[in-house]
Amino acid sequence: MTNHPIGELLPPTRLMLTPGPSCMDPRVYRAMATPIVGHLDPWFTEMMGDVQVQLRKVFKTENRITYPISASGSGGIEAAVLNALEENDTCIICVNGWFSERMAVIAERAPGVTVIRVEAPYGRTVDPDDIRRAAKGKKIKFVGLTHGETSSGVMQDLNLYRGIADELDALLVVDAVASLAGVALDVDRQRIDICFSGTQKALSAPPGMAPITVGSRVEEIIRRRKTPVCSWYFDMAPVMNYWGKERTYHHTPPISLIYGLREALRCVLEEGLEKRIERHRQNQLALVAGLEAMGLEMFVTNPADRLVTVTAVRVPKSLHEQTIREQLLDEFDIEIASGFGPVKGQIWRVGLMGYSSQKNNVLLFLAAFEKVLLDHDFRVPAGAGVGAAVRTYLQSVASDQPVAVGASIR
Amino acid sequence: MTNHPIGELLPPTRLMLTPGPSCMDPRVYRAMATPIVGHLDPWFTEMMGDVQVQLRKVFKTENRITYPISASGSGGIEAAVLNALEENDTCIICVNGWFSERMAVIAERAPGVTVIRVEAPYGRTVDPDDIRRAAKGKKIKFVGLTHGETSSGVMQDLNLYRGIADELDALLVVDAVASLAGVALDVDRQRIDICFSGTQKALSAPPGMAPITVGSRVEEIIRRRKTPVCSWYFDMAPVMNYWGKERTYHHTPPISLIYGLREALRCVLEEGLEKRIERHRQNQLALVAGLEAMGLEMFVTNPADRLVTVTAVRVPKSLHEQTIREQLLDEFDIEIASGFGPVKGQIWRVGLMGYSSQKNNVLLFLAAFEKVLLDHDFRVPAGAGVGAAVRTYLQSVASDQPVAVGASIR
């Protein structure tokens, strides 16, 4: 009985090889379809504890304050930055792409704060000496950076920046949206004061939450603030109570997403973090080998700087970025991403994150990409991409069989 | 293969008769379990348009800027208030409960703003003359209020406050979190400048989104701001582009929740808004008749001020609020809510919202409540509650049969 024109929900079935959202395990969808209970139900508040236990394992931390913020990954940036900064504070933000720039933009909105941007071009890491120079003579509250810059496929060495932050007696704030559970990250050993992520990347949980963890030093800063955080929604002090022992109501969290996150975290921990990280590494190596064998160039020239979860590929001069991407979607239902801002039209970004990081997906993508490139007169030696990728798997199986095989995902 | 102690997700099956979240139609769960696509996928961006068309019908508006904010209902408050207010502005907030107070608390965090609270006690509406007095000689940017105060079960007459706002040449900002799709509301005819809601109440969509609509006057105010909104996440200007023609990326929205919202909106529009509102009204009348027949008192003494979706009941002196509520949950899996703040321990709040507003639920609740009250020596005439409720349905069927029967829910 319909008196309304909007029909049944019938989305296409896509393979998402983007920098998020990634594909999700069917187990996670099943969790999402589980009837909800109230957010103050004793069963639910106990279950919140399970999610926190799991998140601590994934972040590798014992931080008490570890929970998923009810917002996208960008909400994680906002919570991290606004809670840490108070009037008259100065912070340094390492800007080497779209999302680290977003951190700066958000910090600049905090009332009475000075934000120093230390920049590097897209595709490069920020030079520690530039940070030292920018900080000279100033009291720096924190150094903020992205671990993995989704916009350009660059990964930065956290230990290096921890060292700089130590020199400045500053906190370290890390955007791990694109890295958590796909790249090695150890909040406690690397002494990250605030670390946040997004659910829809290497965790392969549904989009809409931003896991965050803060150390005791930051907890103290938050408790001792003289002025309230200008955003009530992202003020961590009261939310810490809802996710703390008290379970005091703050806002109604997205219950179904928490169910999905719980299940996704179970998948991560059942596979094992080390195996999962190795799976991500192997699949990206295969992808890069395949793309290079097809005659394509990586945007990040230094392999050590490449973000394992997102591979940025230069668009050859003879090709139109968007046309290729659209054909891949229309003909093969495979989604990859474009570049933003200064690299718009110049790069493709291929995500291999979480459940999407599978041998099958790498091989299928390379095969489909070959077909699309050939249609646009970009000459690819027959089967070169797939052939090169397959060979990286052979080597890895030979040298290190137990590591290359995941619990349920290869 | 488990090396991890967190087991399968096995929540209890609850009947949620709370002021949110409400129970959801199985169709909505099915939508939530639908495999996602990317947030920039052309299919998805087109589907966003469907959601907006549906939201406009439910809000009864032609406002271009109508979309679901990626946050809980409280995020809706924040977006409404922070976008409308700029330095040196003065606003009036009608505070008559927990959520209208939250609006004031959020507004007070906006830099350089003066917030005038015009108060009424829990259980009462705000006196228009108090607003006039408070505004005297001041330029008021907006009058903000809750349509339905979830914390006390009070509904306020929007036409009355629109009149006052007109006298002050002020905007009208309405929190319709507890009323949208359960109570008559007409954004365009009632000339509400900013109206927001939550998905988890009478819409019976999953918690985690806050539908909002803003009129052209507010759109203009947002575009002409001299200073940016202090929250980047809740800044409506760029989000209006993502939900506008441009579909420019702002943040990754909670795709599965949007699927769920789309399906919940289909349910609302298939039933028909008028029928749905009448269903809510009938079921609350039955509930109130039942509770009164059991010897209980309503917290809101004036029937005209009662919020249809949330009924506040006084806890008799001989009973312990929490004990009763807990037994109802443990023995019958029925969740009702307590009071907050000044009415803590003094009231129960029974929600009949969206999919939860069903005859069957009213009758079951009254029967179970009778059992629990008797266990605690509160004397209830046998079957009095159920008997009285059944009689209200008889009357309504006799007098107005077509209106009392919903499309699929009674």
Side-chain angles (χ1 to χ4, degrees):
Chain A
M1 199 190 110
T2 299
N3 57 2
H4 184 260
I6 304 295
E8 209 180 325
L9 180 72
L10 292 171
T13 302
R14 306 289 203 198
L15 175 58
M16 287 171 289
L17 301 182
T18 61
S22 53
C23 293
M24 299 197 286
D25 194 303
R27 283 173 60 176
V28 176
Y29 285 112
R30 196 173 56 189
M32 300 274 286
T34 305
I36 62 172
V37 301
H39 56 292
L40 298 171
D41 194 294
W43 180 87
F44 186 75
T45 51
E46 198 182 316
M47 190 275 278
M48 289 163 67
D50 294 350
V51 172
Q52 292 175 287
V53 164
Q54 293 173 303
L55 278 179
R56 286 190 195 100
K57 289 191 186 178
V58 173
F59 272 124
K60 298 203 164 197
T61 184
E62 314 242 309
N63 284 342
R64 201 176 72 85
I65 307 301
T66 305
Y67 66 91
I69 295 172
S70 310
S72 84
S74 298
I77 307 181
E78 184 144 323
V81 163
L82 294 188
N83 280 274
L85 289 174
E86 228 172 334
E87 231 170 273
N88 302 319
D89 281 346
T90 299
C91 67
I92 286 182
I93 312 236
C94 303
V95 175
N96 65 334
W98 192 266
F99 292 94
S100 43
E101 178 166 12
R102 175 166 295 183
M103 191 188 280
V105 166
I106 290 173
E108 281 155 4
R109 293 187 179 206
V113 156
T114 305
V115 178
I116 302 174
R117 295 173 177 220
V118 178
E119 307 201 0
Y122 274 59
R124 304 283 290 278
T125 61
V126 170
D127 186 338
D129 280 336
D130 289 345
I131 303 177
R132 286 190 189 98
R133 263 190 295 275
K136 193 154 269 179
K138 300 184 185 80
K139 174 79 202 97
I140 303 298
K141 184 75 163 281
F142 70 72
V143 174
L145 73 155
T146 53
H147 186 200
E149 232 323 325
T150 328
S151 63
S152 62
V154 166
M155 185 159 67
Q156 301 190 109
D157 174 3
L158 296 181
N159 297 331
L160 183 65
Y161 298 95
R162 174 70 268 178
I164 308 289
D166 282 341
E167 288 173 29
L168 307 177
D169 191 25
L171 302 169
L172 185 67
V173 175
V174 172
D175 174 336
V177 170
S179 59
L180 184 71
V183 174
L185 174 78
D186 189 325
V187 166
D188 282 359
R189 285 185 58 186
Q190 297 182 299
R191 290 186 295 113
I192 306 171
D193 296 288
I194 306 182
C195 190
F196 59 88
S197 189
T199 43
Q200 78 281 15
K201 311 263 178 180
L203 289 172
S204 279
M209 305 204 81
I212 194 167
T213 185
V214 310
S216 53
R217 223 168 128 192
V218 176
E219 207 183 317
E220 199 55 29
I221 287 172
I222 293 172
R223 293 204 189 282
R224 290 198 183 169
R225 287 183 67 97
K226 287 186 204 85
T227 51
V229 176
C230 71
S231 167
W232 177 90
Y233 193 76
F234 291 115
D235 185 350
M236 290 180 67
V239 186
M240 284 175 350
N241 291 335
Y242 179 58
W243 286 93
K245 248 192 299 193
E246 304 85 352
R247 300 284 186 235
T248 323
Y249 167 68
H250 180 261
H251 66 271
T252 308
I255 295 162
S256 303
L257 298 185
I258 295 177
Y259 282 6
L261 173 59
R262 181 187 186 280
E263 193 65 19
L265 289 167
R266 286 180 80 214
C267 294
V268 171
L269 294 168
E270 284 174 21
E271 178 177 13
L273 264 180
E274 279 65 34
K275 270 195 186 168
R276 188 178 184 89
I277 287 162
E278 178 59 18
R279 167 165 64 84
H280 279 79
R281 197 184 69 83
Q282 295 285 358
N283 286 328
Q284 195 208 28
L285 286 180
L287 174 70
V288 171
L291 290 167
E292 288 183 334
M294 288 163 80
L296 294 163
E297 251 179 83
M298 297 302 106
F299 177 64
V300 179
T301 45
N302 181 2
D305 295 341
R306 283 181 197 149
L307 175 57
V308 171
T309 48
V310 181
T311 302
V313 188
R314 277 190 193 281
V315 178
K317 286 208 169 46
S318 66
L319 296 174
H320 184 242
E321 183 277 314
Q322 190 179 344
T323 307
I324 302 295
R325 204 163 29 86
E326 286 178 355
Q327 188 181 333
L328 198 63
L329 189 74
D330 292 341
E331 189 175 348
F332 295 100
D333 279 309
I334 298 175
E335 190 191 7
I336 62 171
S338 62
F340 284 140
V343 292
K344 192 174 150 98
Q346 296 174 31
I347 61 172
W348 292 297
R349 295 177 301 142
V350 185
L352 291 174
M353 295 178 147
Y355 193 71
S356 287
S357 172
Q358 298 191 29
K359 279 184 188 171
N360 291 5
N361 295 343
V362 171
L363 299 180
L364 175 61
F365 165 70
L366 290 170
F369 208 46
E370 177 175 333
K371 160 69 168 65
V372 177
L373 293 181
L374 287 171
D375 274 339
H376 293 269
D377 299 324
F378 185 82
R379 300 185 60 171
V380 181
V386 166
V390 163
R391 267 147 198 83
T392 70
Y393 290 126
L394 285 180
Q395 286 157 20
S396 77
V397 171
S399 68
D400 200 356
Q401 193 167 22
V403 175
V405 180
S408 57
I409 309 174
R410 279 139 227 282
Chain B
M1 198 190 111
T2 300
N3 56 1
H4 184 259
I6 304 295
E8 208 179 328
L9 180 72
L10 293 170
T13 302
R14 306 290 202 197
L15 174 58
M16 287 171 289
L17 302 182
T18 61
S22 53
C23 294
M24 299 196 285
D25 193 304
R27 284 173 60 174
V28 176
Y29 285 112
R30 196 174 55 189
M32 299 274 285
T34 305
I36 62 173
V37 302
H39 56 292
L40 298 172
D41 193 295
W43 179 88
F44 186 76
T45 51
E46 199 183 315
M47 190 275 278
M48 289 163 67
D50 294 349
V51 173
Q52 292 176 286
V53 164
Q54 293 173 302
L55 279 179
R56 286 190 196 101
K57 289 190 187 181
V58 174
F59 273 123
K60 298 202 164 198
T61 185
E62 312 242 311
N63 284 340
R64 200 177 71 86
I65 306 302
T66 305
Y67 66 90
I69 295 173
S70 310
S72 86
S74 298
I77 308 181
E78 184 143 324
V81 162
L82 295 188
N83 279 274
L85 290 173
E86 228 172 334
E87 232 170 272
N88 302 320
D89 281 345
T90 299
C91 67
I92 286 183
I93 311 233
C94 302
V95 174
N96 66 333
W98 193 265
F99 292 94
S100 41
E101 179 166 12
R102 174 165 297 181
M103 192 189 280
V105 166
I106 290 173
E108 282 155 5
R109 293 187 179 206
V113 157
T114 304
V115 177
I116 302 174
R117 296 174 177 221
V118 179
E119 307 201 359
Y122 274 59
R124 304 282 291 277
T125 61
V126 170
D127 185 338
D129 280 336
D130 289 346
I131 303 177
R132 288 190 187 98
R133 264 190 295 275
K136 193 154 269 179
K138 300 186 183 80
K139 174 80 203 98
I140 303 299
K141 183 75 164 281
F142 70 72
V143 174
L145 74 155
T146 53
H147 186 199
E149 235 316 329
T150 328
S151 64
S152 62
V154 166
M155 184 158 68
Q156 300 190 110
D157 174 2
L158 296 181
N159 297 331
L160 184 65
Y161 298 95
R162 174 69 269 178
I164 309 289
D166 282 340
E167 289 174 29
L168 307 176
D169 192 25
L171 301 169
L172 185 67
V173 175
V174 172
D175 174 336
V177 170
S179 60
L180 185 70
V183 174
L185 175 78
D186 189 324
V187 166
D188 283 359
R189 283 185 60 185
Q190 298 183 298
R191 291 185 294 113
I192 307 171
D193 297 288
I194 306 183
C195 189
F196 59 88
S197 188
T199 44
Q200 78 282 13
K201 311 264 178 179
L203 289 173
S204 278
M209 306 203 82
I212 193 166
T213 185
V214 309
S216 54
R217 222 168 128 191
V218 176
E219 209 184 315
E220 200 53 31
I221 287 173
I222 293 172
R223 293 205 189 282
R224 290 198 182 169
R225 286 183 68 95
K226 287 186 203 84
T227 51
V229 176
C230 71
S231 166
W232 176 92
Y233 193 76
F234 290 115
D235 186 349
M236 289 179 68
V239 186
M240 284 175 347
N241 291 335
Y242 179 58
W243 286 93
K245 249 192 299 194
E246 305 84 351
R247 299 286 187 233
T248 322
Y249 168 68
H250 180 260
H251 66 271
T252 307
I255 294 162
S256 303
L257 298 186
I258 295 176
Y259 283 5
L261 174 59
R262 182 187 186 280
E263 192 65 19
L265 289 168
R266 286 181 81 214
C267 295
V268 171
L269 294 169
E270 286 175 20
E271 179 177 11
L273 264 181
E274 279 64 35
K275 270 194 186 171
R276 189 178 183 90
I277 287 163
E278 179 58 19
R279 167 165 64 84
H280 279 79
R281 196 184 69 84
Q282 295 284 358
N283 286 327
Q284 195 208 27
L285 285 180
L287 174 70
V288 171
L291 289 168
E292 287 182 335
M294 288 162 78
L296 295 163
E297 252 179 83
M298 297 302 104
F299 178 64
V300 180
T301 47
N302 181 2
D305 295 343
R306 283 181 198 149
L307 175 58
V308 172
T309 49
V310 181
T311 302
V313 187
R314 278 190 193 281
V315 179
K317 286 211 167 49
S318 66
L319 296 174
H320 185 242
E321 183 277 314
Q322 190 179 348
T323 308
I324 303 295
R325 204 163 29 87
E326 285 178 357
Q327 188 181 331
L328 197 64
L329 189 73
D330 291 342
E331 190 175 347
F332 295 98
D333 279 309
I334 297 175
E335 190 190 7
I336 61 170
S338 62
F340 285 140
V343 291
K344 193 175 148 96
Q346 297 173 31
I347 61 172
W348 293 298
R349 294 178 301 142
V350 185
L352 290 175
M353 294 177 146
Y355 194 73
S356 287
S357 172
Q358 299 192 27
K359 280 184 185 169
N360 290 5
N361 296 342
V362 172
L363 299 180
L364 176 61
F365 165 71
L366 290 169
F369 208 46
E370 177 175 333
K371 159 70 169 67
V372 177
L373 293 180
L374 287 171
D375 274 339
H376 293 270
D377 298 324
F378 184 83
R379 300 184 61 174
V380 180
V386 166
V390 164
R391 268 148 197 81
T392 69
Y393 289 126
L394 285 181
Q395 287 157 20
S396 77
V397 170
S399 69
D400 201 356
Q401 190 168 24
V403 176
V405 180
S408 57
I409 309 173
R410 279 138 226 284

